[in-house]
């Protein structure tokens, strides 16, 4: 029950954010919005505004904003200046792009609040030392706390790992604290063959140190929080894009894709670990949703942007025949992906494969 409720909250919030992006920019350009729906299918609940009907629909797997004159084929007799299809291509691109942009903005705001308020993370205290690795050979011991690397202060294990990985095969000047005394060590990382997130063999610089279980609360001043939050959104976006590329290259198997059932399972698990984990999970999914919607797949936001960009560059509208075929291709791709992720979810959740 917790998993289902958590998933409804996650999907509901992310859809609301995404569709609100379309809605608010359409309103800014004075394009008439006919419907704003959370969910698809038959209406469960609705409120009629001045010109927009706000809906909660029965299938909670998405949502939509219905714009006046959304399709070129629609007959527009009145208020042509407020019809979507009569807007300049730049305005149509902006309205379509606003959905994914608000997903990125939502993730940024989540990270910014958490970075400002503070969160718990693993400290730089060393929990164990691997024998015959550079750290052990240099004399670093279990219980030591890393203070800085090459003059750069580190307070979290994440910061420590990032610096080490950025300086392969370079001697590092490491400042430690041991029994309230500061000590200096010079250590050259060992290049070790490991697997990355995509299962590929890569060589990673390692010292042979293992983190402890010690947690510390860390927060950042506003300017630093802004920069760090933007960096986190960028890294998540880059990782999502790389994952899509690896899927196309068949490096990442299609069986790794997940859908609503897997989201429900993960939402429940993160909700049980605490509010911050749950909110961060939403931020992660929000970035994924933003990137996936920008893919140049027909019927997705990215697919619409391809058509509008063509019109912007050439000054000509694409033919109705092309749009019809383009839409059918998009529907086919989406149906294929939907079947795939549901199959993967069922095999993973119910059969453990």
């Amino acid at each position: 029950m917790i998993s289902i409720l958590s998933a409804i909250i996650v999907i509901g919030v992310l859809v609301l954010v995404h569709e609100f992006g379309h809605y608010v920019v359409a309103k800014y350009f004075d394009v008439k919005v006919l419907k704003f729906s959370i969910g698809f299918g038959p209406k469960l609940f609705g409120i009629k505004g001045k010109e927009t009907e706000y809906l909660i629909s029965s299938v909670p797997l998405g949502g939509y904003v219905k714009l006046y004159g959304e399709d070129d084929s629609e007959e527009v007799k009145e208020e042509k200046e407020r019809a979507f299809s009569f807007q300049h291509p730049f305005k149509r691109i902006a309205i379509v792009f606003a959905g994914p942009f608000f997903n990125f903005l939502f993730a940024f705001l989540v990270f910014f609040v958490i970075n400002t308020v503070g969160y718990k993370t693993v400290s730089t205290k060393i929990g164990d030392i691997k024998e015959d690795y550079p750290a052990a050979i240099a004399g670093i011991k279990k219980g030591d706390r890393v203070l800085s690397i090459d003059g750069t202060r580190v307070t979290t294990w994440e910061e420590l790992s990032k610096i080490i990985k950025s300086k392969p095969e370079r001697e590092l000047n490491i400042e430690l604290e041991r029994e309230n005394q500061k000590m200096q060590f010079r250590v050259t990382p060992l290049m070790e063959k490991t697997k990355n997130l995509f299962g590929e063999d890569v060589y990673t610089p390692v010292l042979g140190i293992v983190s402890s279980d010690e947690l510390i609360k860390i927060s950042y001043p506003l300017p630093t929080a802004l920069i760090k939050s933007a960096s986190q959104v960028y890294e998540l976006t880059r990782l999502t894009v790389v994952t899509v590329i690896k899927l196309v290259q068949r490096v990442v198997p299609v069986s790794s894709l997940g859908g609503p059932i897997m989201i429900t399972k993960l939402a429940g698990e993160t909700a049980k670990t605490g509010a911050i984990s749950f909110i961060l999970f939403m931020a992660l999914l929000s970035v994924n949703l933003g990137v996936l919607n920008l893919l140049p797949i027909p019927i997705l936001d990215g697919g619409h942007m391809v058509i509008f960009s063509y019109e912007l560059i050439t000054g000509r509208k694409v033919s109705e025949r092309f749009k019809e075929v383009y839409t059918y291709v998009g529907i086919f791709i989406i149906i294929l992906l939907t079947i795939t992720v549901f199959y993967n979810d069922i095999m993973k959740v119910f059969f453990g494969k």
Side-chain angles (χ1 to χ4, degrees):
M1 188 63 186
I2 293 178
S3 293
I4 294 174
L5 180 60
S6 300
I8 291 173
I9 293 172
V10 168
I11 295 173
V13 169
L14 297 189
V15 169
L16 177 63
V17 167
H18 183 91
E19 299 305 331
F20 183 71
H22 295 312
Y23 173 85
V24 73
V25 176
K27 284 289 190 180
Y28 176 79
F29 288 126
D30 197 32
V31 175
K32 184 186 287 186
V33 181
L34 302 178
K35 292 184 179 182
F36 184 115
S37 177
I38 303 300
F40 297 110
K43 177 176 72 173
L44 292 178
F45 175 77
I47 298 175
K48 181 66 176 177
K50 184 178 179 181
E51 62 181 20
T52 306
E53 186 178 12
Y54 303 92
L55 306 170
I56 301 293
S57 300
S58 57
V59 183
L61 296 178
Y64 64 92
V65 167
K66 173 66 176 173
L67 303 176
Y68 175 60
E70 193 169 303
D71 198 316
D72 288 339
S73 61
E74 292 182 41
E75 187 177 355
V76 178
K77 295 181 179 180
E78 302 175 347
E79 297 185 288
K80 286 187 177 181
E81 73 282 356
R82 300 194 66 196
F84 178 76
S85 58
F86 281 79
Q87 302 302 311
H88 188 277
F90 173 78
K91 291 184 179 180
R92 282 180 279 160
I93 290 172
I95 292 170
V96 170
F97 175 72
F101 175 76
F102 268 56
N103 283 125
F104 296 125
L105 180 62
F106 172 78
F108 171 80
L109 292 175
V110 167
F111 288 129
F112 178 71
V113 170
I114 290 175
N115 287 327
T116 304
V117 173
Y119 60 97
K120 288 185 178 181
T121 187
V122 180
S123 74
T124 59
K125 184 178 180 180
I126 298 173
D128 201 5
I129 300 286
K130 295 183 180 180
E131 292 184 10
D132 301 324
Y133 274 75
I137 295 171
I140 296 174
K141 297 180 179 180
K142 175 181 177 180
D144 289 348
R145 187 183 303 276
V146 181
L147 301 178
S148 68
I149 301 177
D150 285 347
T152 301
R153 181 176 173 78
V154 290
T155 53
T156 70
W157 198 264
E158 180 188 4
E159 294 171 345
L160 181 153
S161 298
K162 190 174 182 179
I163 292 178
I164 293 173
K165 290 177 181 178
S166 70
K167 300 183 177 184
E169 299 182 286
R170 286 178 53 183
E171 186 179 60
L172 305 175
N173 181 26
I174 299 178
E175 183 182 23
L176 302 174
E177 182 182 68
R178 180 186 297 171
E179 297 178 354
N180 297 322
Q181 290 188 339
K182 292 182 179 179
M183 308 178 72
Q184 300 281 342
F185 293 87
R186 302 196 71 85
V187 188
T188 302
L190 170 71
M191 297 303 292
E192 186 174 65
K193 188 176 181 181
T194 59
K195 297 281 187 182
N196 64 12
L197 287 172
F198 308 108
E200 299 171 300
D201 290 329
V202 294
Y203 284 91
T204 305
V206 297
L207 298 181
I209 56 177
V210 180
S211 66
S212 68
D213 295 328
E214 183 183 69
L215 296 177
I216 57 171
K217 185 173 182 179
I218 186 169
S219 61
Y220 299 92
L222 292 182
T224 306
L226 284 169
I227 295 171
K228 185 173 178 62
S229 301
S231 175
Q232 287 170 315
V233 173
Y234 169 78
E235 285 300 321
L236 274 179
T237 302
R238 185 187 65 81
L239 182 60
T240 306
V241 171
V242 171
T243 301
V244 171
I245 294 172
K246 297 293 184 183
L247 277 166
V248 174
Q249 295 174 337
R250 303 297 296 275
V251 173
V252 176
V254 176
S255 60
S256 65
L257 292 174
I261 298 174
M262 185 56 66
I263 290 174
T264 300
K265 181 175 181 292
L266 294 175
E269 291 175 355
T270 54
K272 290 175 183 177
T273 60
I276 290 182
S277 296
F278 184 64
I279 295 171
L280 286 174
F281 176 67
M282 279 202 290
L284 169 62
L285 282 186
S286 191
V287 171
N288 288 338
L289 181 62
V291 172
L292 295 178
N293 266 280
L294 286 175
L295 294 178
I297 296 175
I299 81 172
L300 293 183
D301 294 330
H304 292 308
M305 288 175 66
V306 169
I307 291 179
F308 301 151
S309 296
Y310 171 83
E311 294 178 9
L312 180 64
I313 295 169
T314 65
R316 296 177 297 171
K317 288 184 175 292
V318 298
S319 68
E320 287 300 321
R321 177 58 181 164
F322 174 83
K323 281 213 266 191
E324 185 179 346
V325 174
Y326 191 65
T327 301
Y328 284 142
V329 170
I331 292 172
F332 173 77
I333 293 173
I334 296 302
I335 290 175
L336 189 62
L337 284 173
T338 301
I339 292 172
T340 300
V341 297
F342 268 104
Y343 173 80
N344 290 344
D345 285 356
I346 291 170
M347 296 305 289
K348 289 175 186 175
V349 175
F350 297 106
F351 298 99
K353 295 183 180 181

